[in-house]
Amino acid sequence: MLASEVASQIAAHEKYGGIVPEIASRNHLVYAPRLLNQASSVANIGFSEVDAFAATSGPGLASSLMIGASIAKGLAIGFGKPYLAINHLEGHLLSPFFGSVEKENQIRPNVSLIASGGHTMLVRVQGLDDYKLIGRTVDDAAGEAFDKVAKILGLGYPGGPEIEKHARGGDPNRFDLPRSMPESENFSFSGLKTAVRYLLPKIVGRFCETPDQERALTQTPYKLDNYVLADLCASFQQAIIDVLVRKTIAAAQKYGFDLVTVSGGVSCNQELRKQLGEACAHEGFEFKNAEPWLCTDNAAMIAFAASLRLQGGFQSDVTEEIDPNLALAK
Ligand code: KG4
Ligand code: ZN
């Protein structure tokens, strides 16, 4: 990797507790050209020396996808180079191999858990471009559950890192939260979020000693005692981790893979990395995860997927449209 430049929009969206599409696309329009120039100067590579131009073509917000794809297509046409439309989820899925493989045929078969803000899925990977869906969430994604529960608790956005921080030192067994659909290969996290919502008034009621705490009964976000907050965050985080670990291991066993990979923003979570790594070691599976900076959305993983695809003989047509619902696998 010669350069990787990121313009984070977290600060611009934080006060809304989620992404506002119009703000996101306007910022892309402002920052993408600046990032291109920065990357070119850090890498000391002129645009005419670039072998190919790639962008995410989906899934995602149409107005944001359009900006990146239009820029990459324009550069590809202008410099007479190939254009590659990359599936965002393939970027995540391949990221655990970043830096350790150089050719498309070095992507070893694996069971891949992708856990991000928009998706939670288990995929059978036979090699580049050979993906079969095992299971996916039927409602909220794991990261979305982190974000929504953090919002109820009055913590910042994105919720995952906030909950992880507050969970440190907390007791993951203090609150009994549901592990939904244990026998299914699909996931469901909205019941867990609802369980936290219903638990909160009960917790606050139990500590109801002042008028302020009385009032908290009917108000969100809830103000919890620090120890209770730590236990609740730890219990919630553990409920998510239990489900992710159990289903990933079950899939690896069922489909006979010896390698398990994990990617997506939620895979930044140290406790998930540790527990999934331990479960894999216990079951005799090799385990690969991406470096934390490669887990949350970034352009390097898209470039990496594009470089493997380019070597594998794949290219996209510049007339290829973005697709907000682009599927990774059937
Ligand atoms: O992959 P990503 O950057 O964007 C999407 O493609 O959605 O994932 C973002 C998600 C957010 O929901 C965020 O709360 C979650 O990843 N996340 C985490 C952690 N860091 C980010 N969840 C749990 N623990 C973390 N440390
Ligand atoms: Zn993502």
Side-chain angles (χ1 to χ4, degrees):
M1 191 180 77
L2 301 178
S4 167
E5 300 294 318
V6 178
S8 170
Q9 294 197 29
I10 285 177
H13 300 269
E14 195 170 17
K15 60 174 176 282
Y16 305 102
I19 306 292
V20 183
E22 186 64 24
I23 296 177
S25 62
R26 285 176 191 227
N27 279 331
H28 284 314
L29 207 49
V30 172
Y31 291 103
R34 295 186 197 170
L35 290 180
L36 267 169
N37 285 331
Q38 270 172 35
S40 151
S41 86
V42 170
N44 202 16
I45 295 273
F47 292 137
S48 61
E49 298 169 84
V50 174
D51 295 320
F53 294 93
T56 306
S57 61
L61 293 169
S63 52
S64 292
L65 294 169
M66 217 130 51
I67 311 270
S70 302
I71 292 174
K73 287 176 184 180
L75 288 165
I77 294 168
F79 290 98
K81 297 290 170 64
Y83 165 66
L84 290 105
I86 302 296
N87 185 308
H88 178 75
L89 296 168
E90 184 180 43
H92 279 306
L93 176 138
L94 296 172
S95 63
F97 294 95
F98 190 96
S100 66
V101 308
E102 274 161 15
K103 294 208 167 64
E104 87 286 355
N105 58 11
Q106 293 170 335
I107 299 296
R108 280 172 45 205
N110 65 91
V111 157
S112 162
L113 169 67
I114 307 174
S116 70
H119 297 84
T120 301
M121 48 172 67
L122 277 166
V123 182
R124 278 190 280 164
V125 178
Q126 290 298 347
L128 186 76
D129 201 42
D130 190 349
Y131 314 128
K132 288 204 175 59
L133 186 69
I134 298 171
R136 65 190 320 159
T137 181
V138 297
D139 41 53
D140 293 351
E144 193 178 355
F146 271 102
D147 296 337
K148 287 179 174 171
V149 166
K151 196 171 182 181
I152 302 174
L153 295 175
L155 306 176
Y157 173 84
E162 288 292 317
I163 289 189
E164 174 168 26
K165 188 174 75 191
H166 286 91
R168 266 179 222 129
D171 175 4
N173 299 315
R174 164 104 180 252
F175 297 108
D176 188 18
L177 293 167
R179 274 71 169 157
S180 301
M181 301 172 59
E183 303 308 324
S184 169
E185 289 182 317
N186 286 327
F187 300 86
S188 165
F189 293 110
S190 79
L192 175 58
K193 170 198 64 195
T194 308
V196 172
R197 199 185 283 285
Y198 283 129
L199 181 62
L200 277 166
K202 291 188 199 151
I203 298 175
V204 180
R206 209 180 298 152
F207 293 92
C208 220
E209 284 157 9
T210 66
D212 269 358
Q213 288 167 341
E214 276 286 349
R215 220 171 297 127
L217 267 172
T218 51
Q219 281 177 354
T220 56
Y222 288 84
K223 289 279 166 276
L224 297 179
D225 169 282
N226 278 344
Y227 293 106
V228 180
L229 180 63
D231 291 348
L232 183 57
C233 286
S235 301
F236 167 76
Q237 177 175 272
Q238 191 56 44
I240 297 222
I241 292 174
D242 273 353
V243 172
L244 294 178
V245 170
R246 192 183 308 159
K247 295 193 183 213
T248 306
I249 297 293
Q253 285 166 337
K254 177 172 172 186
Y255 296 103
F257 287 90
D258 58 7
L259 172 63
V260 169
T261 64
V262 65
S263 60
V266 179
S267 72
C268 280
N269 189 284
Q270 291 299 330
E271 206 47 46
L272 171 64
R273 295 162 82 90
K274 177 169 159 273
Q275 293 187 32
L276 189 53
E278 284 168 0
C280 285
H282 187 261
E283 300 301 327
F285 300 131
E286 195 188 327
F287 175 59
K288 265 185 192 295
N289 52 15
E291 296 280 315
W293 73 270
L294 265 173
C295 292
T296 44
D297 290 350
N298 63 86
M301 70 184 191
I302 302 301
F304 178 59
S307 74
L308 295 180
R309 283 190 161 266
L310 193 65
Q311 287 171 15
F314 296 91
Q315 279 189 30
S316 312
D317 203 283
V318 286
T319 57
E320 193 171 312
E321 303 272 1
I322 53 124
D323 181 355
N325 300 311
L326 188 63
L328 175 70
K330 296 220 167 58

